[in-house]
Structures are given as C-alpha cells and as structure tokens.
C-alpha cells in the first residue's frame, strides 16, 4: 500500500474516480490538532446520546394475560383446588400410556383463555387478563361469596406463558426468556441468558421494540449515572448483544505487525491501535505521516497525525477511532526509493552491496 499526499490539493480535499462506475469519491485531509480532537469528542457524545426514555420505567406487579396457568386454592374447600381440574390417576390409565399422557397433559391449574378469562366452579367465567394476582384473588373471592361464607382465596401464577422476550447474540444461552413476577430489566434478561460472552461488545446492545432499534452503551450509561436495571423490557422485545468482531479497526502500512483490532467496549484510541500493532516500524516507517481513513457518509475523511511534533502522543491518546477505520503509516522516502530500485533492478542492490563489502567480512 502507498499513500500519495500529492493527490490532495491545497484545500485538503481530492476527488478520486471509481474505475467501475466513474463516480467521484471525495476525500478530505484534516490534520489532527487539539481543537479537532475536542470537536470530534463533542460530536461523538451527541451521536451516542439516543433518547431511551421510553425504555426506562419503574417496576410494576405482573399482569395476568392469556396463556398463563393459575394456581387457585380456596381454604377449607379442597374440592375447589387445582386437583379438581386433573383426574385422579392421571390422564391415560397406567403403564407407558400413563407416562406418555402425563408428559403431554397440560399443567394442573386454571389456564387463562385467549379472551383472558378462566372458568372456575361456582364463579363461572371470570376475566382476569390485565389484573395482578391480588386483584384476581379479590374478584374471585367476591364471586364465591355468593355461595361460600367468607371465602379465603389464594391465587398465584403457576406457569408464566403469556409474555416473553428474546435474547440473541453474544450471550451464553440465547433464546426466549419468560417474563415472570421478577421485573424483566435489561440486566435481568442478559443475566438469565448466561451473561455476555468475552466476544460480546457491551457498548453495542440493541433493544428492538415495535420495529424501532435502541442502541444502548452499557458502560456509558454507568458513567452517566444511569442504572441499566431501570430499562424495563416488555413482551415481544428483542435484545441483541453484538460481537466485537463487528467493530474492528484495521492497522496497516509501516507498523511492526499490521492487524485487525477489535474495539474494547466501543472504545479504541489511535495510540492504543498503534501500540497493539507494535508501533511505527523504526526501519521504514515515517512517524510524521500517520493517517486515519474514515468513511463519513458518501465521502472519505483522512486525518493526519504528525508524530514528530510535541504533544502528538497526547493527541493520539485522545483521538478515538470508529468501527471500520483504517490506520495507515506511510513509509519514509528512503524506504520507497529502496523498494523502487529493488523492483527495477532486483540484483543491482545486492551486487552493489557485495562489491563494497570487504573480503574479510564475506
């Protein structure tokens, strides 16, 4: 690879023509200065601040809905308990048929129908959808009071099957998570899925609700004093933890070990990228020509760092990279000249070196 600074005009911009479609792609050269670093940080903070107020709410009691199975106990009246809904001895007789039938049988209890009602002896049809467990207990007790004296009813959700969220991506056990009486926060959902894997990026957590994606940066929320546990999930939400491999930075050119580097929870500075690549090659690298190529919409923006100036290391430490950035270190003029001569006359340099080498050193 070779980076030609002469392609930029005095204003710091250039236009390159695409070989396939003939379209022009504008590129702009900007020197990295303390003022530029500060401006980029302010822009990054504005872009990272997405309105997630619709996701933040206070925990509320669980609301019964269609599909839930309720456990109802009427004190001093065992004939009205859950056992009355299951025939004695199971559903299929004895032996293998009995075990098969028991495995396929619905759970013992009162299932909430699709219209949000249950059928209870003496009380008849009761609409419990949208009620809490205590509210449903009171309604059922009022219905039974016509036939029983001071009925005491204990109603609980035995099987939570009406509300679910889906956790996907870089978690240990992705899949469906049922919403129960424990408030389903974002942290709770991720913990139930086994937590974020080492390959997961905690700064790239996406919550999809009703077709809208909310980008959530967990470390950034903590820094701002926002508790991630205040983000409440609802039925149908999809949580996806993206991989760190989706946010890589590519370091090439005259460095000791060119490589692709994953970002650390959404953050990687230019200084860190150069350090993890072994730094500028001392034999062929030009420290005054360190470039960061970034795609900004339809244009390419090229940032240049002059490492020979005072304060360059501080600027490189504060210059944050973005996913898919390319860090390129140009070669020195002498290295370019040596390579050009080696391509034109492959054996000339080795012959010249051999001619000037003393015989005692051969």
């Amino acid at each position: 690879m070779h980076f030609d600074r002469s392609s930029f005009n005095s204003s710091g911009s250039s236009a390159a023509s695409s070989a396939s479609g003939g379209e022009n792609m504008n590129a702009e050269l900007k020197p990295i200065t303390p003022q530029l670093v500060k401006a980029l940080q302010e822009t990054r903070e504005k872009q990272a601040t997405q309105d997630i107020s619709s996701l933040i709410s206070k925990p509320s009691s669980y609301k019964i809905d269609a599909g839930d199975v309720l456990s109802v106990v009427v004190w001093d009246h065992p004939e009205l308990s859950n056992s009355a809904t299951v025939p004695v001895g199971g559903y299929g007789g004895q032996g293998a048929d009995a075990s098969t039938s028991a495995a396929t049988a619905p759970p013992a209890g009162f299932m909430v129908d699709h219209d949000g009602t249950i059928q209870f002896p003496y009380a008849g049809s009761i609409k419990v959808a949208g009620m809490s467990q205590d509210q449903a207990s009171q309604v059922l007790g009022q219905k039974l009071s016509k036939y029983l004296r001071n009925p005491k009813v204990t109603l609980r959700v035995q099987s939570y099957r009406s509300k679910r969220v889906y956790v996907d991506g870089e978690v240990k056990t992705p899949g469906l998570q049922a919403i129960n009486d424990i408030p389903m926060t974002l942290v709770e959902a991720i913990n139930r899925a086994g937590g974020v894997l080492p390959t997961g990026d905690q700064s790239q957590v996406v919550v999809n609700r009703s077709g809208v994606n909310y980008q959530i940066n967990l470390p950034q929320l903590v820094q701002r004093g926002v508790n991630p546990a205040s983000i409440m999930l609802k039925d149908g939400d999809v949580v996806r933890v993206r991989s760190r491999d989706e946010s890589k930075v590519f370091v090439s050119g005259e460095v000791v070990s060119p490589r692709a580097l994953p970002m650390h929870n959404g953050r990687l500075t230019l200084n860190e990228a150069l350090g993890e690549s072994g730094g500028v090659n001392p034999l062929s690298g030009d420290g005054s020509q360190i470039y960061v190529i970034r795609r900004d919409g339809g244009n390419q923006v090229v940032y240049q760092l002059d490492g020979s100036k005072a304060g360059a290391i501080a600027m490189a430490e504060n210059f944050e990279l973005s996913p898919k950035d390319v860090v390129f270190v140009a070669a020195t003029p002498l290295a370019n000249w040596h390579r050009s001569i080696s391509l034109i006359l492959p054996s000339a340099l080795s012959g010249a070196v051999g001619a000037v080498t003393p015989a005692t050193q051969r």
Side-chain angles (χ1 to χ4, degrees), residues 316-332:
E317 178 61 27
N318 294 325
F319 187 89
E320 295 191 17
L321 300 175
S322 298
K324 307 301 180 182
D325 277 358
V326 177
V327 179
F328 180 81
V329 180
T332 60

Side-chain angles (χ1 to χ4, degrees), residues 49-273:
T49 306
Q50 185 180 6
D51 185 13
I52 60 172
S53 58
S54 59
L55 302 180
I56 298 177
S57 61
K58 295 182 179 180
S60 59
S61 59
Y62 181 83
K63 304 300 182 182
I64 301 171
D65 209 339
D68 288 338
V69 179
L70 306 181
S71 171
V72 181
V73 175
V74 181
W75 292 21
D76 299 328
H77 293 276
E79 71 277 4
L80 299 179
S81 63
N82 290 348
S83 60
T85 64
V86 183
V88 178
Y91 281 87
Q94 300 178 357
D97 294 337
S99 60
T100 303
S101 299
T104 58
F110 297 89
M111 182 178 297
V112 182
D113 296 338
H114 64 280
D115 58 352
T117 62
I118 61 172
Q119 302 294 329
F120 197 83
Y122 299 113
S125 179
I126 305 175
K127 191 172 184 63
V128 295
M131 297 183 181
S132 65
Q133 299 179 75
D134 294 337
Q135 291 172 344
S137 297
Q138 293 177 4
V139 172
L140 181 56
Q142 293 174 0
K143 292 282 187 178
L144 294 177
S145 63
K146 298 179 181 179
Y147 308 96
L148 304 177
R149 179 178 298 176
N150 297 327
K152 295 182 179 179
V153 179
T154 300
L155 185 148
R156 293 291 179 266
V157 179
Q158 179 174 306
S159 180
Y160 298 89
R161 308 197 304 180
S162 62
K163 302 178 181 66
R164 305 177 186 178
V165 298
Y166 187 80
V167 184
D168 189 19
E170 299 301 312
V171 292
K172 186 175 181 180
T173 55
L176 290 172
Q177 300 293 335
I179 299 178
N180 53 23
D181 56 336
I182 300 176
M184 180 62 78
T185 64
L186 178 61
V187 177
E188 177 71 17
I190 294 177
N191 288 338
R192 288 190 191 181
V196 180
L197 295 175
T199 56
D201 190 349
Q202 297 186 24
S203 66
Q204 295 287 333
V205 179
V206 181
V207 176
N208 182 280
R209 175 176 295 177
S210 301
V212 180
N213 287 334
Y214 296 89
Q215 304 283 343
I216 298 176
N217 188 328
L218 293 180
Q220 189 179 72
L221 286 181
V222 175
Q223 291 178 357
R224 294 178 178 177
V226 180
N227 187 358
S230 62
I231 299 177
M232 302 296 300
L233 300 181
K234 296 182 179 180
D235 179 32
D237 286 353
V238 178
V239 179
R240 185 173 186 271
V241 181
R242 291 181 177 176
S243 173
R244 294 174 58 192
D245 292 337
E246 299 181 22
S247 303
K248 283 189 174 182
V249 171
F250 307 95
V251 184
S252 61
E254 303 304 319
V255 292
V256 176
S257 55
R259 62 182 63 187
L261 299 174
M263 304 185 76
H264 307 293
N265 289 330
R267 188 181 184 275
L268 186 67
T269 64
L270 177 57
N271 196 30
E272 292 172 341

Side-chain angles (χ1 to χ4, degrees), residues 18-32:
S18 173
S20 59
E23 299 178 354
N24 291 332
M25 179 173 291
N26 297 322
E28 185 177 1
L29 181 64
K30 296 182 179 180
I32 298 178

Side-chain angles (χ1 to χ4, degrees), residues 105 357 361:
T357 303
Q361 297 182 3

